Amino acid sequence: MTHDRVTYDLVVVGGGPAGVAGALTAALAGLRVALVDTGTRLGGQYFRHAAEPKPAPGLARFLRQGRALAARADVLLGHQVWNVSREPDGGLTVHCLTRRPAGERAVELRARRLLIATGAHDRPLPFPGWDLPGVLTAGGAQALLKGGGVLAGRRVVVSGTGPFLLPAAAGLAAAGARVLGVYEANGGLGLARHPLLALGKAGEAAGYTATLARHRVPYLTRRAVIAAHGEREVEAVTLARLDRDWNVLSSRVVACDTVAVGYGFVPQIELGTQLGCRTRADVDGSPVIDVDAAQRTSVPGVWAAGEPAGVGGWRLAELEGRIAGRAIAADHRADHRADQRADHHTGHPADPPPVFARRRERWRAFGAALQRAYPVKPGWQGWLRDDTLVCRCEEVPLARVREAQAMGATDARAVKLLARPGMGWCQGRICGYAVSCLAGEPPQEPRRPVAQPVTLGALASLTHPQTPATPQDPGDDPAH
Amino acid sequence: MTFHITVDGRPVPVVPGQTIGAALHAAGVRSWRTTRFGGRPRGLFCGIGVCFDCLISVNGRAPERACLLEAEPGDEVTTA
């Protein structure tokens, strides 16, 4: 079938727990639904799995949901959404790129409603040597393992902050890596009093703890990797003991071949900000999409679920997806009735059943508590040297950021214009948080006219979106 | 039931479903391009399609993200 001609009642962007739950809920209610995801399999980050999936908590259920969805909706994998635009008739056009079956081409989906379920990515902090091959985000190390069964390295140091370091380290250790330690920059409670236990996730935390203990992996708090060393790859790291603000108290060098780092998560909200959705500051100050009780954003016809609406983990994401799916189905029914009666539709938000609302409050409180327990403290800025790259894409060292500030750049935007951090391929996704911190302001909303770099060939094919498979010109540069 | 791709002419085994990036990592190849200004080696960093560090040319096409691109039998990969 061609996807260019139908108008979907709902297009969902993101095939993780939030997106699949939302899409399935709406499809079961009779809506015509398409779900779009960049990956080659459903799952998002948490439920990422290999072609032959290994058992993991919740995965069997998720895979059942995915199969049920595929039977009732168009699931478009390998499709990247780079923009959603509002049409004169009030509908939405979801602009995607796909490279299948032959070469990159543009695909447009028409939608009456949109669910943003785009998840989050790791939030890295820069440190000397963080651009050496062998330094990966904790999520990147997890993705290699879950998606391809590949160990990121043999002698691995896990560092950063937050509960996600535990599954990342446990996964690596269980798969045969020698994990030299988990170095948690925050809090001095240790594993036995880890907030995951205090917050009623005892089963989950106990599983990771047991795995780490079985493989004799030490979990040490107020410690972090503050530098990576090597010529072509990581050969060693500097491990530091930190004070409560992450200033270095003492340090030593340890040989290793791989570092997995993560300092929390960055919700992917650019589709929402492109459409003008109102944002709010999450617990840690990061902008997230503001939603009402029914997961509806401030923009008519647009809902958000999961991390883009506030970081809280996969259970919250799935629940929010279900709530959004119900609300979207109610909106669809209301539109339908309005059409039949030809009268005006006032659009009451479909509030979730109390049991869903209560459970959502509980998971949100849990997410907020974790964010409060694992903040990013300012001392990391002292780990940087003048030549430490802040922006990996444009290779902007700290010295150039400081130079821009000396020239009068007082905020992150001015720093970006003068020194170009965040102007490269990743459009500031990786360095945006760090640049905001260095500029002394809270993390900024993304201002990206496109959510993914697009080749000129693909843009050109937009005027004829039905034209099949236009191979791109290899000489094309990405448009920013 | 692994198949092979070639990396600079050398065969590298792939488990079906693996990305180009995962196959390279598994074969011990951890960097495959150098940066424009500093000539610094780069490979996988975010591993999920966000950072664009892992750009690689497959079958002579324009650079794509190795972490997202599922390897296909006969793919020819060129590192810089």
Side-chain angles (χ1 to χ4, degrees):
Chain A
M1 69 178 287
T2 165
H3 301 291
D4 299 319
R5 302 221 169 103
V6 305
T7 297
Y8 290 98
D9 297 318
L10 169 67
V11 169
V12 178
V13 184
V20 167
L24 181 58
T25 304
L28 287 170
L31 278 71
R32 185 161 201 179
V33 177
L35 181 143
V36 189
D37 192 88
T38 307
T40 48
R41 282 181 281 278
L42 292 175
Q45 303 315 326
Y46 187 82
F47 288 127
R48 185 184 291 275
H49 56 278
E52 306 280 332
K54 295 202 178 87
L59 180 60
R61 182 161 151 271
F62 176 83
L63 293 175
R64 279 198 303 277
Q65 290 175 348
R67 283 192 296 272
L69 179 65
R72 291 169 177 84
D74 289 331
V75 176
L76 305 178
L77 299 171
H79 281 61
Q80 293 183 20
V81 175
W82 60 272
N83 184 271
V84 178
S85 57
R86 177 74 74 180
E87 299 306 315
D89 66 359
L92 297 159
T93 300
V94 181
H95 301 272
C96 315
L97 292 173
T98 181
R99 57 171 298 277
R100 299 190 189 283
E104 190 168 85
R105 70 186 179 102
V107 174
E108 291 182 341
L109 305 177
R110 300 270 297 137
R112 294 193 177 87
R113 296 168 199 82
L114 179 76
L115 173 57
I116 298 170
T118 41
H121 59 80
D122 283 84
R123 180 165 62 195
L125 291 177
F127 55 87
W130 73 306
D131 61 322
L132 280 170
V135 179
L136 287 92
T137 66
Q142 274 285 72
L144 267 179
L145 196 57
K146 283 180 171 179
V150 175
L151 270 179
R154 291 194 181 84
R155 284 175 62 85
V156 188
V157 171
V158 178
S159 180
T161 193
F164 180 60
L165 299 181
L166 293 181
L172 288 164
R178 170 101 175 79
V179 179
L180 302 180
V182 180
Y183 299 94
E184 161 62 60
N186 271 307
L189 294 177
L191 261 194
R193 293 181 60 196
H194 195 281
L196 278 181
L197 294 164
L199 290 160
K201 302 243 281 188
E204 196 170 326
Y208 303 140
T209 308
T211 304
L212 294 180
R214 193 160 58 243
H215 295 278
R216 299 174 196 286
V217 177
Y219 175 89
L220 297 164
T221 56
R222 292 265 161 81
R223 282 169 180 78
V225 168
I226 60 159
H229 316 283
E231 277 299 312
R232 300 282 305 173
E233 291 194 0
V234 175
E235 292 160 20
V237 292
T238 300
L239 281 173
R241 224 158 47 77
L242 307 174
D243 71 11
R244 55 180 305 127
D245 289 321
W246 298 10
N247 300 303
V248 175
L249 298 174
S250 63
S251 68
R252 66 194 169 99
V253 174
V254 174
C256 66
D257 59 38
T258 302
V259 187
V261 286
Y263 287 88
F265 296 99
V266 179
Q268 310 210 80
I269 65 169
E270 45 269 89
L271 291 181
T273 51
Q274 277 174 8
L275 286 163
C277 296
R278 190 171 58 230
T279 62
R280 64 175 178 88
D282 207 357
V283 176
D284 69 347
S286 301
V288 292
I289 299 173
D290 198 20
V291 293
D292 69 7
Q295 301 295 134
R296 189 189 299 246
T297 72
S298 64
V299 172
V302 181
W303 282 255
E307 316 299 344
V311 171
W314 74 272
R315 287 182 182 82
L316 176 63
E318 190 200 298
L319 183 59
E320 289 185 348
R322 285 177 71 183
I323 290 170
R326 287 173 57 100
I328 288 164
D331 187 71
H332 171 74
R333 283 193 301 272
D335 274 355
H336 206 63
R337 278 197 300 272
D339 279 352
Q340 281 174 349
R341 292 202 305 266
D343 63 4
H344 191 68
H345 160 51
T346 50
H348 299 291
D351 285 339
V355 58
F356 279 24
R358 277 197 304 273
R359 210 182 300 158
R360 180 175 57 188
E361 280 323 298
R362 219 165 42 236
W363 287 120
R364 280 185 179 164
F366 169 70
L370 282 183
Q371 285 193 49
R372 277 192 294 272
Y374 297 103
V376 171
K377 295 295 189 72
W380 67 268
Q381 296 181 29
W383 309 345
L384 276 51
R385 299 185 316 233
D386 282 350
D387 64 351
T388 302
L389 294 187
V390 173
C391 166
R392 303 164 67 95
C393 301
E394 292 295 296
E395 300 172 74
V396 181
L398 177 67
R400 217 145 7 109
V401 171
R402 294 304 186 210
E403 202 177 277
Q405 290 175 306
M407 285 165 72
T410 52
D411 60 16
R413 192 167 163 75
V415 168
K416 182 172 160 179
L417 290 173
L418 278 177
R420 298 189 55 82
M423 303 280 263
W425 279 99
C426 90
Q427 303 175 79
R429 286 180 176 82
I430 298 297
C431 72
Y433 179 81
V435 172
S436 288
C437 291
L438 290 169
E441 58 184 34
Q444 300 298 297
E445 242 177 53
R447 292 191 189 87
R448 296 175 192 121
V450 298
Q452 295 288 334
V454 184
T455 60
L456 296 178
L459 277 178
S461 75
L462 265 182
T463 45
H464 306 288
Q466 293 90 343
T467 312
T470 319
Q472 68 181 47
D473 176 356
D476 283 351
D477 271 326
H480 289 294
Chain B
M1 19 166 262
T2 59
F3 60 84
H4 285 78
I5 61 173
T6 63
V7 179
D8 299 330
R10 191 166 65 90
V12 164
V14 178
V15 177
Q18 274 180 343
T19 63
I20 298 267
L24 287 172
H25 238 254
V29 181
R30 302 215 295 179
S31 69
W32 44 81
R33 75 169 179 99
T34 51
T35 58
R36 282 175 298 165
F37 305 119
R40 307 270 293 165
R42 292 287 169 86
L44 295 178
F45 177 61
C46 83
I48 63 168
V50 175
C51 76
F52 290 79
D53 262 4
C54 66
L55 289 171
I56 198 163
S57 178
V58 179
N59 301 330
R61 290 193 303 259
E64 295 167 81
R65 284 165 282 182
C67 69
L68 294 182
L69 194 58
E70 203 163 296
E72 289 170 12
D75 276 347
E76 292 179 17
V77 170
T78 326
T79 70

